[in-house]
């Protein structure tokens, strides 16, 4: 993935042409998405769980990595916006016969797909695609390598705002495998952008970012210290699929020193919320009593993912429709 133009994500007017990363977005962009998601939250309470915003538009999901939450909530979000939805099964698609990602995209473009939701193991994949697709087609990053998972960060901001009402003054700890986590990178950008100044990154030295001093956060290797007085504790999974061997002795040792137990959670504020993007590994980074306990908002995060993804899909489609209209008007003149 070598090709990068300057920020392909925003139009000159600052509208969301694609949704690729939190980096480069303003607090107003994030707040607009959170507020729009608010307006979509009750669609699920209707007899017919749909609004017509994407009627006649086609959304394609391309997941080169496994997913439960992201893919399913994008499916539901697309359907609740009345879009036509197609899944490209990578294992049975022609990419399995050697076709390049871009050739696959070009063929799907030829079928008049309006928007692609892409998860890929290579960092930068979504930017690469966004720089290649024709004008008028939107790309949503559903997670690229260790780089970015911006829709996850947005549903996390939604969850924090829901439970804590505001970001100013919050103490937030992200605990676990920070180094390999695209979720952590996107959360750090989003939390800083929303005004969180007390942000802690907690984990074994081997799983903390190498240039952590350059991040807007304080690093801790002791979990009890790191979560002390926190309002929000966010746990991360050990991402063994991205890890070179030997970064932790074993999962049992990791749980002993970093696993979130009821006893450890007592160091955070009594009304702290406990978050995790999922999938959770019980007995590794989280004890079942915490995962299923009163402070856990893990399933709320998944729930809010639908409204957030509806907001992102509709915002990007809105910009793309405007782009197509202005190109058509320019052509007519
Ligand atoms: N949080 C997250 O991205 O989960 P999935 O891998 O199940 O989509």
């Amino acid at each position: 993935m070598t090709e990068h133009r300057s920020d392909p994500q925003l139009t000159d007017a600052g509208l969301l042409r694609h949704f690729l990363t939190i980096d480069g977005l303003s607090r107003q962009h994030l707040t607009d998405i959170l507020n729009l998601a608010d307006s979509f939250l009750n669609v699920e309470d209707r007899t017919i769980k749909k609004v017509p915003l994407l009627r006649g538009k086609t959304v394609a999901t391309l997941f080169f990595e496994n997913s439960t939450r992201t893919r399913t909530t994008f499916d539901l979000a697309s359907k609740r916006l009345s879009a036509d939805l197609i899944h490209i099964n990578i294992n049975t698609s022609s990419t399995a016969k050697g076709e390049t990602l871009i050739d696959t995209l070009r063929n799907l473009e030829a079928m008049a797909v309006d928007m692609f939701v892409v998860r890929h193991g290579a960092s930068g994949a979504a930017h690469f695609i966004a720089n290649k697709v024709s004008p008028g087609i939107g790309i949503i990053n559903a997670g690229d390598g260790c780089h970015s998972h911006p829709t996850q960060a947005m549903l996390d901001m939604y969850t924090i705002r829901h439970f804590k009402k505001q970001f100013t003054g919050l103490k937030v700890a992200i605990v676990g495998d920070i180094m390999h986590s695209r979720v952590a990178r996107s959360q750090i950008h989003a939390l800083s952008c929303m005004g969180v100044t007390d942000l802690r990154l907690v984990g074994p030295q081997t799983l903390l970012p190498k240039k952590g001093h350059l991040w807007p956060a304080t690093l801790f290797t002791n979990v009890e210290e790191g979560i002390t007085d926190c309002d929000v504790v966010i746990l991360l999974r050990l991402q063994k699929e991205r890890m070179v061997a030997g970064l932790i002795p074993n999962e049992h040792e990791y749980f002993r020193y970093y696993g979130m137990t009821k006893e450890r959670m007592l160091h955070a504020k009594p009304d702290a919320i406990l978050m995790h993007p999922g999938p959770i590994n019980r007995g590794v980074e989280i004890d079942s009593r915490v995962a299923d306990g009163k402070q856990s908002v893990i399933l709320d995060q998944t729930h809010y993912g639908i409204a957030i993804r509806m907001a992102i899909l509709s915002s990007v489609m809105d910009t793309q429709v405007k782009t197509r209209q202005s190109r058509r008007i320019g052509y007519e003149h």
Side-chain angles (χ1 to χ4, degrees), residues 66-71 119 149 152 277-279:
N66 296 341
S67 170
T68 298
R69 281 145 290 271
T70 311
R71 190 178 133 166
R119 171 171 287 192
H149 194 350
Q152 176 70 45

Side-chain angles (χ1 to χ4, degrees), residues 28-56:
Q28 192 60 53
H29 283 119
L30 305 198
T31 305
D32 287 347
I33 291 168
L34 298 180
N35 292 345
L36 188 54
D38 265 340
S39 73
F40 287 133
L41 200 59
N42 64 4
V43 172
E44 67 192 14
D45 298 329
R46 299 180 184 198
T47 314
I48 296 172
K49 298 185 181 70
K50 278 186 188 293
V51 288
L53 283 171
L54 262 61
R55 191 161 58 196

Side-chain angles (χ1 to χ4, degrees), residues 4-11 17-18 20 126-128 130-131:
H4 283 279
R5 268 188 246 153
S6 61
D7 191 357
Q9 176 161 255
L10 299 175
T11 65
R17 181 189 285 136
H18 305 290
L20 306 175
H127 277 80
F128 179 77
N131 280 329

